[in-house]
Short mmCIF file of all heavy atoms in Angstrom, two decimals:
data_model
loop_
_atom_site.label_atom_id
_atom_site.label_comp_id
_atom_site.label_asym_id
_atom_site.label_seq_id
_atom_site.Cartn_x
_atom_site.Cartn_y
_atom_site.Cartn_z
N VAL J 9 12.82 -13.99 21.93
CA VAL J 9 13.05 -12.60 22.25
C VAL J 9 12.42 -11.77 21.14
O VAL J 9 12.72 -11.96 19.96
CB VAL J 9 14.55 -12.27 22.46
CG1 VAL J 9 15.40 -12.63 21.25
CG2 VAL J 9 14.71 -10.80 22.83
N THR J 10 11.52 -10.87 21.52
CA THR J 10 10.77 -10.09 20.55
C THR J 10 11.57 -8.90 20.07
O THR J 10 12.67 -8.63 20.53
CB THR J 10 9.44 -9.60 21.15
OG1 THR J 10 9.72 -8.58 22.12
CG2 THR J 10 8.68 -10.73 21.81
N THR J 11 10.96 -8.14 19.14
CA THR J 11 11.61 -6.94 18.63
C THR J 11 11.71 -5.84 19.67
O THR J 11 12.46 -4.89 19.48
CB THR J 11 10.87 -6.41 17.40
OG1 THR J 11 9.51 -6.16 17.73
CG2 THR J 11 10.93 -7.43 16.26
N THR J 12 10.95 -5.95 20.74
CA THR J 12 11.02 -5.00 21.84
C THR J 12 11.73 -5.58 23.06
O THR J 12 11.62 -5.05 24.16
CB THR J 12 9.62 -4.51 22.23
OG1 THR J 12 8.77 -5.63 22.49
CG2 THR J 12 9.02 -3.68 21.11
N ASP J 13 12.44 -6.68 22.87
CA ASP J 13 13.27 -7.32 23.90
C ASP J 13 12.46 -7.97 25.01
O ASP J 13 13.00 -8.22 26.10
CB ASP J 13 14.28 -6.34 24.48
CG ASP J 13 15.43 -6.06 23.54
OD1 ASP J 13 15.82 -6.97 22.79
OD2 ASP J 13 15.95 -4.93 23.56
N ASP J 14 11.21 -8.25 24.76
CA ASP J 14 10.47 -9.12 25.67
C ASP J 14 10.92 -10.56 25.45
O ASP J 14 11.24 -10.95 24.33
CB ASP J 14 8.97 -9.01 25.45
CG ASP J 14 8.43 -7.64 25.81
OD1 ASP J 14 8.82 -7.11 26.87
OD2 ASP J 14 7.62 -7.11 25.03
N THR J 15 10.92 -11.35 26.50
CA THR J 15 11.36 -12.74 26.40
C THR J 15 10.29 -13.68 26.93
O THR J 15 9.50 -13.34 27.81
CB THR J 15 12.66 -12.97 27.17
OG1 THR J 15 12.48 -12.60 28.54
CG2 THR J 15 13.79 -12.16 26.56
N ASN J 16 10.29 -14.88 26.37
CA ASN J 16 9.42 -15.95 26.82
C ASN J 16 10.18 -17.26 26.72
O ASN J 16 11.02 -17.43 25.83
CB ASN J 16 8.15 -16.03 25.98
CG ASN J 16 7.24 -14.84 26.16
OD1 ASN J 16 6.53 -14.74 27.16
ND2 ASN J 16 7.27 -13.91 25.22
N TYR J 17 9.87 -18.17 27.64
CA TYR J 17 10.59 -19.43 27.72
C TYR J 17 9.64 -20.60 27.89
O TYR J 17 8.58 -20.47 28.52
CB TYR J 17 11.56 -19.42 28.91
CG TYR J 17 12.60 -18.34 28.84
CD1 TYR J 17 12.37 -17.11 29.44
CD2 TYR J 17 13.79 -18.54 28.18
CE1 TYR J 17 13.32 -16.10 29.38
CE2 TYR J 17 14.75 -17.54 28.11
CZ TYR J 17 14.50 -16.33 28.71
OH TYR J 17 15.45 -15.33 28.64
N ALA J 18 10.03 -21.73 27.33
CA ALA J 18 9.32 -22.96 27.64
C ALA J 18 9.46 -23.27 29.12
O ALA J 18 10.49 -22.98 29.74
CB ALA J 18 9.88 -24.10 26.79
N GLU J 19 8.43 -23.85 29.68
CA GLU J 19 8.43 -24.15 31.10
C GLU J 19 9.63 -25.02 31.50
O GLU J 19 10.19 -24.85 32.58
CB GLU J 19 7.12 -24.82 31.51
CG GLU J 19 6.94 -24.96 33.01
CD GLU J 19 6.83 -23.64 33.72
OE1 GLU J 19 6.34 -22.67 33.09
OE2 GLU J 19 7.22 -23.55 34.90
N SER J 20 10.03 -25.90 30.63
CA SER J 20 11.11 -26.83 30.94
C SER J 20 12.47 -26.16 31.09
O SER J 20 13.37 -26.75 31.69
CB SER J 20 11.19 -27.92 29.87
OG SER J 20 11.41 -27.35 28.59
N VAL J 21 12.62 -24.96 30.57
CA VAL J 21 13.91 -24.27 30.64
C VAL J 21 13.85 -22.99 31.44
O VAL J 21 14.89 -22.34 31.65
CB VAL J 21 14.48 -23.97 29.23
CG1 VAL J 21 14.51 -25.24 28.39
CG2 VAL J 21 13.67 -22.88 28.54
N LYS J 22 12.68 -22.60 31.91
CA LYS J 22 12.51 -21.35 32.64
C LYS J 22 13.39 -21.34 33.88
O LYS J 22 13.41 -22.31 34.65
CB LYS J 22 11.05 -21.17 33.00
CG LYS J 22 10.63 -19.75 33.29
CD LYS J 22 9.10 -19.62 33.36
CE LYS J 22 8.44 -19.92 32.03
NZ LYS J 22 6.96 -19.78 32.10
N GLY J 23 14.10 -20.25 34.07
CA GLY J 23 15.00 -20.13 35.20
C GLY J 23 16.40 -20.65 34.95
O GLY J 23 17.31 -20.38 35.74
N ARG J 24 16.59 -21.39 33.87
CA ARG J 24 17.90 -21.94 33.54
C ARG J 24 18.48 -21.34 32.27
O ARG J 24 19.70 -21.19 32.16
CB ARG J 24 17.82 -23.46 33.37
CG ARG J 24 17.36 -24.19 34.62
CD ARG J 24 17.48 -25.71 34.44
NE ARG J 24 16.62 -26.19 33.37
CZ ARG J 24 17.05 -26.84 32.28
NH1 ARG J 24 18.35 -27.08 32.13
NH2 ARG J 24 16.18 -27.27 31.37
N PHE J 25 17.63 -21.01 31.30
CA PHE J 25 18.06 -20.48 30.01
C PHE J 25 17.75 -19.00 29.92
O PHE J 25 16.74 -18.52 30.46
CB PHE J 25 17.36 -21.20 28.86
CG PHE J 25 17.78 -22.62 28.64
CD1 PHE J 25 18.52 -23.33 29.57
CD2 PHE J 25 17.42 -23.26 27.46
CE1 PHE J 25 18.89 -24.65 29.35
CE2 PHE J 25 17.78 -24.58 27.23
CZ PHE J 25 18.52 -25.28 28.17
N THR J 26 18.58 -18.27 29.20
CA THR J 26 18.37 -16.85 28.95
C THR J 26 18.63 -16.55 27.48
O THR J 26 19.66 -16.96 26.93
CB THR J 26 19.30 -15.97 29.81
OG1 THR J 26 19.12 -16.29 31.19
CG2 THR J 26 18.98 -14.50 29.59
N ILE J 27 17.69 -15.86 26.84
CA ILE J 27 17.84 -15.45 25.45
C ILE J 27 18.01 -13.94 25.38
O ILE J 27 17.36 -13.21 26.13
CB ILE J 27 16.64 -15.91 24.60
CG1 ILE J 27 16.85 -15.59 23.11
CG2 ILE J 27 15.34 -15.30 25.11
CD1 ILE J 27 15.77 -16.18 22.19
N TRP J 28 18.90 -13.47 24.53
CA TRP J 28 19.01 -12.04 24.26
C TRP J 28 19.56 -11.82 22.86
O TRP J 28 20.03 -12.75 22.22
CB TRP J 28 19.84 -11.32 25.32
CG TRP J 28 21.33 -11.54 25.27
CD1 TRP J 28 22.27 -10.72 24.70
CD2 TRP J 28 22.05 -12.64 25.85
NE1 TRP J 28 23.53 -11.25 24.88
CE2 TRP J 28 23.42 -12.42 25.59
CE3 TRP J 28 21.67 -13.77 26.56
CZ2 TRP J 28 24.41 -13.30 26.01
CZ3 TRP J 28 22.65 -14.65 26.98
CH2 TRP J 28 24.00 -14.42 26.71
N ARG J 29 19.46 -10.59 22.42
CA ARG J 29 19.87 -10.27 21.07
C ARG J 29 20.81 -9.07 21.06
O ARG J 29 20.71 -8.18 21.91
CB ARG J 29 18.64 -9.98 20.19
CG ARG J 29 17.80 -8.79 20.67
CD ARG J 29 16.37 -8.85 20.13
NE ARG J 29 16.35 -8.78 18.67
CZ ARG J 29 15.37 -9.24 17.92
NH1 ARG J 29 14.30 -9.81 18.47
NH2 ARG J 29 15.44 -9.13 16.60
N GLU J 30 21.71 -9.03 20.10
CA GLU J 30 22.56 -7.89 19.83
C GLU J 30 22.35 -7.55 18.36
O GLU J 30 23.04 -8.06 17.48
CB GLU J 30 24.02 -8.19 20.13
CG GLU J 30 24.27 -8.49 21.61
CD GLU J 30 25.73 -8.65 21.94
OE1 GLU J 30 26.59 -8.26 21.13
OE2 GLU J 30 26.02 -9.19 23.03
N ASN J 31 21.38 -6.67 18.12
CA ASN J 31 20.93 -6.42 16.75
C ASN J 31 22.03 -5.86 15.85
O ASN J 31 22.12 -6.23 14.68
CB ASN J 31 19.74 -5.46 16.76
CG ASN J 31 18.50 -6.07 17.39
OD1 ASN J 31 18.25 -7.27 17.27
ND2 ASN J 31 17.71 -5.23 18.06
N ALA J 32 22.84 -4.96 16.38
CA ALA J 32 23.89 -4.35 15.57
C ALA J 32 24.92 -5.38 15.14
O ALA J 32 25.54 -5.24 14.09
CB ALA J 32 24.55 -3.20 16.33
N LEU J 33 25.13 -6.40 15.96
CA LEU J 33 26.06 -7.46 15.63
C LEU J 33 25.40 -8.58 14.85
O LEU J 33 26.08 -9.51 14.42
CB LEU J 33 26.68 -8.03 16.90
CG LEU J 33 27.51 -7.07 17.75
CD1 LEU J 33 28.01 -7.77 19.00
CD2 LEU J 33 28.66 -6.50 16.95
N LYS J 34 24.08 -8.50 14.69
CA LYS J 34 23.30 -9.52 14.00
C LYS J 34 23.50 -10.88 14.64
O LYS J 34 23.71 -11.90 13.98
CB LYS J 34 23.63 -9.54 12.50
CG LYS J 34 23.55 -8.17 11.85
CD LYS J 34 23.59 -8.22 10.34
CE LYS J 34 22.22 -8.55 9.79
NZ LYS J 34 22.13 -8.28 8.33
N LYS J 35 23.40 -10.89 15.98
CA LYS J 35 23.57 -12.11 16.74
C LYS J 35 22.47 -12.27 17.77
O LYS J 35 21.94 -11.29 18.31
CB LYS J 35 24.93 -12.12 17.44
CG LYS J 35 26.11 -12.22 16.49
CD LYS J 35 27.42 -12.32 17.25
CE LYS J 35 28.61 -12.37 16.31
NZ LYS J 35 28.62 -13.63 15.52
N VAL J 36 22.13 -13.50 18.04
CA VAL J 36 21.19 -13.89 19.08
C VAL J 36 21.85 -14.98 19.91
O VAL J 36 22.52 -15.85 19.36
CB VAL J 36 19.85 -14.38 18.49
CG1 VAL J 36 18.86 -14.69 19.60
CG2 VAL J 36 19.28 -13.35 17.54
N TYR J 37 21.62 -14.94 21.21
CA TYR J 37 22.31 -15.85 22.11
C TYR J 37 21.31 -16.65 22.94
O TYR J 37 20.20 -16.21 23.21
CB TYR J 37 23.23 -15.08 23.06
CG TYR J 37 24.24 -14.21 22.36
CD1 TYR J 37 23.95 -12.88 22.08
CD2 TYR J 37 25.48 -14.72 21.99
CE1 TYR J 37 24.87 -12.08 21.44
CE2 TYR J 37 26.40 -13.92 21.35
CZ TYR J 37 26.10 -12.60 21.07
OH TYR J 37 27.02 -11.81 20.44
N LEU J 38 21.74 -17.81 23.37
CA LEU J 38 21.01 -18.60 24.34
C LEU J 38 22.00 -19.11 25.37
O LEU J 38 22.82 -19.98 25.07
CB LEU J 38 20.28 -19.77 23.68
CG LEU J 38 19.38 -20.60 24.60
CD1 LEU J 38 18.17 -19.79 25.04
CD2 LEU J 38 18.95 -21.89 23.92
#
């Protein structure tokens, strides 16, 4: 997940995994 909230995934996990960030909480999720 980029600094502008664009996302990219490996082909093997595409459609199953989701990444996002909560910058104020200093957390990243998968």
